[in-house]
Amino acid sequence: TQLLEQSPQFLSIQEGENLTVYCNSSSVFSSLQWYRQEPGEGPVLLVTVVTGGEVKKLKRLTFQFGDARKDSSLHITAAQTGDTGLYLCAGESGSARQLTFGSGTQLTVLP
Amino acid sequence: KAGVTQTPRYLIKTRGQQVTLSCSPISGHRSVSWYQQTPGQGLQFLFEYFSETQRNKGNFPGRFSGRQFSNSRSEMNVSTLELGDSALYLCASSPWLGGQDYGYTFGSGTRLTVV
């Protein structure tokens, strides 16, 4: 069974601060996806990384896939209150079309 | 472009009953997956359909079943409901089998409460 450990589980910071969320596994994934979920809604895809060592930037968000494709990180620069939400990492392996989700990081950005 | 539509949004059922949830994927998307989200277990994969065929199934009892129609719309059914089936059920669509750099588009989910 593949597991994705996500940390921290909860994060409360002030607007303007930087933060990093980590996603780790002992398994290799062919792709790693990051989603953000608002209360009462489904997850919304932020990014997909597929190549070991890959770095993708989405405005103030930077996503990195580990060289061995077992871990990933999400870094947010100068957080804003609109960044508040549940951040989920999810891995996919081989040809199996199923996502293994991390437990999520509940981020609260205070004004 | 319309997103993934799930109906109903909310549902209250009694233990022992059965329930059917519906999902209409994004037009042109042929892969539909279902996930269960609970506070204790997080998001867990139920099953995935492509071209009316179940391609992959998660570790759930046989009370959970699904199907996909020729227009790619999908339904999932839970029979003999238990209190522990209370959850947010999410449907996700993707344009094709493979292409793992595309990701999934999720619907808003169906909140099922079993009493």
Side-chain angles (χ1 to χ4, degrees):
Chain A
T1 303
Q2 295 180 314
L3 292 174
L4 267 172
E5 295 183 1
Q6 196 171 335
S7 63
Q9 189 176 356
F10 297 97
L11 194 52
S12 182
I13 61 172
Q14 295 293 136
E15 197 168 28
E17 292 184 348
N18 302 331
L19 67 113
T20 303
V21 178
Y22 300 94
C23 190
N24 297 289
S25 176
S26 59
S27 303
V28 175
F29 290 99
S30 50
S31 77
L32 205 295
Q33 301 168 25
W34 285 91
Y35 292 83
R36 190 176 97 177
Q37 187 177 22
E38 302 288 345
E41 298 295 328
V44 175
L45 179 68
L46 297 173
V47 79
T48 301
V49 285
V50 298
T51 305
E54 183 175 3
V55 177
K56 280 192 175 179
K57 292 192 175 184
L58 185 66
K59 296 183 181 178
R60 295 176 294 101
L61 278 61
T62 302
F63 305 86
Q64 187 163 6
F65 201 11
D67 291 340
R69 291 185 290 142
K70 293 182 179 181
D71 56 88
S72 181
S73 64
L74 157 61
H75 182 80
I76 300 179
T77 303
Q80 300 176 356
T81 55
D83 295 327
T84 293
L86 178 67
Y87 288 82
L88 296 155
C89 63
E92 200 163 35
S93 297
S95 60
R97 292 292 282 167
Q98 68 176 79
L99 292 172
T100 298
F101 278 89
S103 55
T105 295
Q106 183 60 56
L107 172 65
T108 303
V109 182
L110 303 169
Chain B
K1 173 170 164 178
V4 177
T5 303
Q6 289 189 247
T7 56
R9 282 299 306 270
Y10 303 93
L11 206 49
I12 299 175
K13 288 287 188 179
T14 303
R15 197 169 38 179
Q17 287 186 314
Q18 74 165 17
V19 67
T20 299
L21 312 181
S22 179
C23 171
S24 292
I26 290 174
S27 178
H29 284 197
R30 297 168 65 188
S31 171
V32 174
S33 303
W34 289 88
Y35 290 82
Q36 181 197 65
Q37 186 174 27
T38 60
Q41 299 297 319
L43 275 142
Q44 294 185 290
F45 172 77
L46 281 158
F47 26 67
E48 188 256 346
Y49 287 87
F50 181 82
S51 292
E52 302 178 65
T53 301
Q54 186 181 90
R55 302 283 178 158
N56 205 3
K57 189 176 187 335
N59 189 26
F60 278 82
R63 300 185 296 107
F64 291 82
S65 63
R67 58 178 175 168
Q68 186 180 34
F69 302 96
S70 57
N71 62 357
S72 294
R73 190 177 71 86
S74 178
E75 290 181 346
M76 68 162 281
N77 184 275
V78 188
S79 63
T80 319
L81 283 165
E82 300 177 0
L83 296 178
D85 296 333
S86 295
L88 180 67
Y89 289 89
L90 292 159
C91 167
S93 79
S94 179
W96 51 70
L97 190 65
Q100 291 169 334
D101 58 343
Y102 187 85
Y104 296 83
T105 302
F106 281 83
S108 297
T110 294
R111 171 72 63 184
L112 172 65
T113 302
V114 182
V115 297

